[in-house]
Amino acid sequence: MTDKVEFTLAELMIVAASEAWRGDGELLASGLGVIPRLGASLAKLTHSEGLLMTDSEAFLVEEPIPLGPRGDYQPRYSGYMPFERVFDCVWGGRRHAMIGPTQIDRWGQTNLSCVGDYAKPKSAMLGVRGLPGNSINHINSLFVPAHSRRVFVEGEVDMVSGVGFKPERWDDGVRRDLMDIRIVVTDLCVMDFDGPGRSVRVRSLHPGVSFAEVQEKTGFPLVAAPDMGETTSPSADQLALIRRLDPHDLRATAIKGNPPGIRTAA
Amino acid sequence: MDKRMSTAEVVAGLRDGMTIGFGGWGPRRKPMAIVREILRSPLKDLTVAAYGGPEVGMLCAAGKVKKLVFGFATLDAMPLEPWYRKVREAGGLTDLMELDEGMFQWGLRAAGMRLPFLPTRCGLATDVVKLNPELRTIGSPYDDGEVLIAMPALKLDVALLHVNVADRLGNTLVTGPDAYFDHHFARAAEQCFVSAERVEERLELDAATARYNTFERYLVTGVVHAPFGAHPTSCPSDYGWDMSHFKRYAASATDEGGWQAYVDEFVAPGEAAYQEKNGGAERLAKLPLPVF
């Protein structure tokens, strides 16, 4: 029966995202956005109870807080984590964040600042925010709701906001051993940077997606992991937890069209 | 000792070309009553330093920003700050110092500690160093020899903050869950002006409440009584941000003549009219705190 559960693509991606934090032990797990946050919450409730999480404002909680309006739900705080303390946590390296940048390049460099010419950008976005500091100080994973060549650009990202594995960017004497990029969860697949020379590798394909399609929608060459398989489907238990963590079904709006998890060929 | 003054008196003391830091974070606890007073003034050529929210966008829209020192500009629920975006995309703001959030804090801290710089790893191997050639690196003088950025002190002529409670001596309380970086702005500035929801004669607090004080009164030059002075941004624990006003403000960036219409409606008539236009004190006091 359990292999017959129905699930959406968003739910598949939440489960895939939760795998980013497996084995992290005690560190601050920050999932930014609906799917990454649900992924971190699911990780804490299943395989990685040591993770620290916040109420997405200023307090630590041991029970991940459901998304959206809380009704009668009363958060129970276990500690305090205002922005200033998040910086301390970042600089000490005890954090693993999953963020959704606007552009990602083959070296894992990320852009949240602007697209196009810096002086007169085609699109001015948020600004670098905490990306430079986060990316050089602790583990990060990446989230991409719509896998395309606009996100996975051919050359370097337009404004390198977060560091990556491009050797030319690292001057002598700069420590690059404190950073790592764990996984990239997209609407098509899960990737990592564990290919030759830290190149991008497809680790698993979501049901109904081919390697060729992923390659076609990526601006740089990909390799397949030797054991590349299908992204693991959510279990009934995981889906129940996801429903509890997201009672207003915000995940239904996270991926355009809220497609089913098992896509049939178009 | 009485540091009370009006927003007009605060702004009368500001000069063209000053470096002004704005407290708060994004759409949270910004000194908007003072910002509106600046918008009504002829002040220009400002260097604005902020964890940016609508104050950055509005000052850009009004053409008052010569240089922006920032890590981001956002309204949170609307991720992209509409006027910052519009002015940047028109090529109208090219003197930029775009920094990692932590570098920004480090710059304020260095200024507050009267140090020329503080070392940091943040920003290395990114375009932050490339786009800000004034940033220099420094080698650790110890055996490790690590190369770090020497984040220069971010000295402010003036810091403008909004808090929940103040007294006429300049004591302040921030009662929301996060004090943000206001204390660092206060320390980094030559002069610091604080607007407050409530201004009392003298704070006489129990120990638990006194912990809401995040910087010393000797840092505070002036105190302004400005109820709803953070609107349309939030002022936890008093009120939340005003999404309907943010939408109106965002529309001003797409409508023809939108900024002038916004100024005519909300800025020019003054603070009392501003509150009325936004539903009056009764509505403003009930703006719900955002749930994250």
Side-chain angles (χ1 to χ4, degrees):
Chain A
M1 282 297 281
T2 47
D3 58 343
K4 286 279 187 190
V5 249
E6 287 190 13
F7 53 90
T8 65
L9 178 59
E11 288 161 344
L12 178 84
M13 291 167 73
I14 291 163
V15 172
S18 83
E19 288 298 316
W21 286 279
R22 188 183 285 275
D24 278 353
E26 287 186 290
L27 49 67
L28 181 65
S30 304
L32 287 99
V34 169
I35 289 179
R37 178 169 160 187
L38 288 168
S41 303
L42 185 64
K44 182 167 170 60
L45 289 178
T46 54
H47 51 74
S48 297
E49 65 166 357
L51 295 172
L52 282 75
M53 289 190 70
T54 73
D55 63 347
S56 298
E57 190 172 13
F59 295 101
L60 287 163
V61 291
E62 289 299 339
E63 182 179 278
I65 293 192
L67 272 64
R70 289 177 194 159
D72 295 333
Y73 182 87
Q74 284 290 337
R76 289 188 298 276
Y77 304 125
S78 51
Y80 187 43
M81 185 60 69
F83 290 146
E84 184 159 15
R85 203 151 140 191
V86 174
F87 290 2
D88 293 339
C89 172
V90 167
W91 300 335
R94 298 293 291 265
R95 185 176 187 232
H96 178 172
M98 181 180 283
I99 56 148
T102 307
Q103 293 179 327
I104 301 168
D105 63 28
R106 69 186 72 191
W107 301 279
Q109 299 179 130
T110 48
N111 178 14
L112 204 56
S113 170
C114 67
V115 172
D117 177 42
Y118 191 71
K120 193 181 176 186
K122 192 159 62 181
S123 176
M125 300 166 319
L126 276 180
V128 295
R129 284 215 75 153
L131 250 62
N134 294 351
S135 61
I136 201 168
N137 280 301
H138 62 65
I139 308 163
N140 285 274
S141 287
L142 307 173
F143 172 74
V144 176
H147 194 128
S148 79
R149 284 171 179 258
R150 287 176 59 192
V151 178
F152 295 104
V153 295
E154 194 181 329
E156 273 196 313
V157 293
D158 290 0
M159 195 285 189
V160 177
S161 314
V163 305
F165 302 108
K166 190 178 187 189
E168 297 84 344
R169 285 270 173 180
W170 295 85
D171 292 332
D172 288 345
V174 175
R175 276 189 77 173
R176 49 195 288 194
D177 58 314
L178 303 174
M179 59 81 68
D180 201 7
I181 304 174
R182 193 62 58 76
I183 60 169
V184 187
V185 177
T186 84
D187 59 330
L188 298 181
C189 64
V190 178
M191 305 191 290
D192 61 25
F193 286 83
D194 295 332
R198 305 264 7 206
S199 59
V200 184
R201 214 170 63 141
V202 179
R203 209 145 102 173
S204 70
L205 297 163
H206 298 342
V209 176
S210 69
F211 182 85
E213 181 185 358
V214 176
Q215 180 61 78
E216 166 61 29
K217 291 181 175 169
T218 306
F220 46 81
L222 298 169
V223 293
D227 57 347
M228 182 180 76
E230 192 173 90
T231 307
T232 307
S233 296
S235 69
D237 288 348
Q238 287 170 322
L239 289 170
L241 286 172
I242 290 168
R243 280 192 289 273
R244 202 180 88 198
L245 290 164
D246 182 23
H248 305 286
D249 201 14
L250 299 183
R251 63 195 180 282
T253 59
I255 303 297
K256 197 180 174 194
N258 195 27
I262 298 177
R263 282 173 287 194
T264 45
Chain B
M1 192 161 59
D2 190 346
K3 295 180 181 173
R4 287 175 297 182
M5 54 173 67
S6 66
T7 52
E9 286 169 316
V10 171
V11 174
L14 306 179
R15 296 287 170 264
D16 292 352
M18 272 188 165
T19 297
I20 302 182
F22 292 85
W25 175 279
R28 311 179 198 198
R29 212 162 38 71
K30 288 289 176 179
M32 296 307 292
I34 301 177
V35 170
R36 286 186 282 274
E37 192 68 38
I38 294 174
L39 294 172
R40 285 188 287 270
S41 79
L43 211 58
K44 62 178 193 300
D45 296 332
L46 301 177
T47 292
V48 169
Y51 292 107
E55 85 286 15
V56 165
M58 290 182 189
L59 293 167
C60 283
K64 294 191 179 293
V65 183
K66 181 172 163 284
K67 179 177 181 179
L68 181 62
V69 182
F70 74 124
F72 58 83
T74 184
L75 303 181
D76 276 8
M78 286 180 205
L80 305 179
E81 211 298 329
W83 271 103
Y84 159 76
R85 181 175 205 194
K86 183 172 172 130
V87 172
R88 276 294 308 275
E89 290 175 5
L93 184 60
T94 53
D95 197 352
L96 298 155
M97 188 181 202
E98 185 167 358
L99 298 168
D100 170 76
E101 296 163 357
M103 293 172 81
F104 189 105
Q105 185 210 5
W106 235 214
L108 295 178
R109 289 204 74 162
M113 291 192 276
R114 303 175 295 173
L115 291 170
F117 67 90
L118 279 170
T120 177
R121 208 171 278 129
C122 308
L124 290 163
T126 72
D127 278 337
V128 168
V129 277
K130 211 185 213 175
L131 293 163
N132 297 294
E134 67 270 41
L135 293 175
R136 310 270 177 84
T137 55
I138 184 170
S140 165
Y142 300 103
D143 291 344
D144 59 274
E146 183 175 356
V147 171
L148 299 158
I149 290 176
M151 177 61 208
L154 193 47
K155 292 182 197 163
L156 308 174
D157 293 312
V158 171
L160 301 174
L161 313 175
H162 185 77
V163 302
N164 304 85
V165 182
D167 69 13
R168 63 184 173 85
L169 304 176
N171 293 302
T172 54
L173 301 179
V174 172
T175 58
D178 198 325
Y180 312 129
F181 299 88
D182 290 14
H183 45 299
H184 295 305
F185 282 90
R187 290 183 201 289
E190 290 286 326
Q191 297 184 85
C192 173
F193 298 96
V194 179
S195 58
E197 294 294 321
R198 294 172 290 287
V199 176
E200 301 179 9
E201 275 296 301
R202 193 160 87 178
L203 295 182
E204 291 178 335
L205 311 165
D206 59 35
T209 312
R211 292 183 67 165
Y212 290 126
N213 170 247
T214 63
F215 52 92
E216 306 83 75
R217 66 168 161 75
Y218 62 66
L219 297 165
V220 176
T221 315
V223 171
V224 175
H225 183 218
F228 308 110
H231 185 275
T233 70
S234 63
C235 188
S237 53
D238 285 311
Y239 51 87
W241 58 54
D242 189 343
M243 264 315 288
S244 66
H245 190 95
F246 279 154
K247 284 179 185 160
R248 172 69 185 78
Y249 163 62
S252 80
T254 50
D255 300 346
E256 185 72 29
W259 177 245
Q260 194 53 50
Y262 180 88
V263 169
D264 292 345
E265 186 174 1
F266 293 110
V267 180
E271 208 57 17
Y274 178 84
Q275 289 181 19
E276 282 315 304
K277 292 271 187 191
N278 284 289
E282 202 177 334
R283 174 176 177 268
L284 298 179
K286 286 185 188 147
L287 286 167
L289 291 167
V291 173
F292 295 95

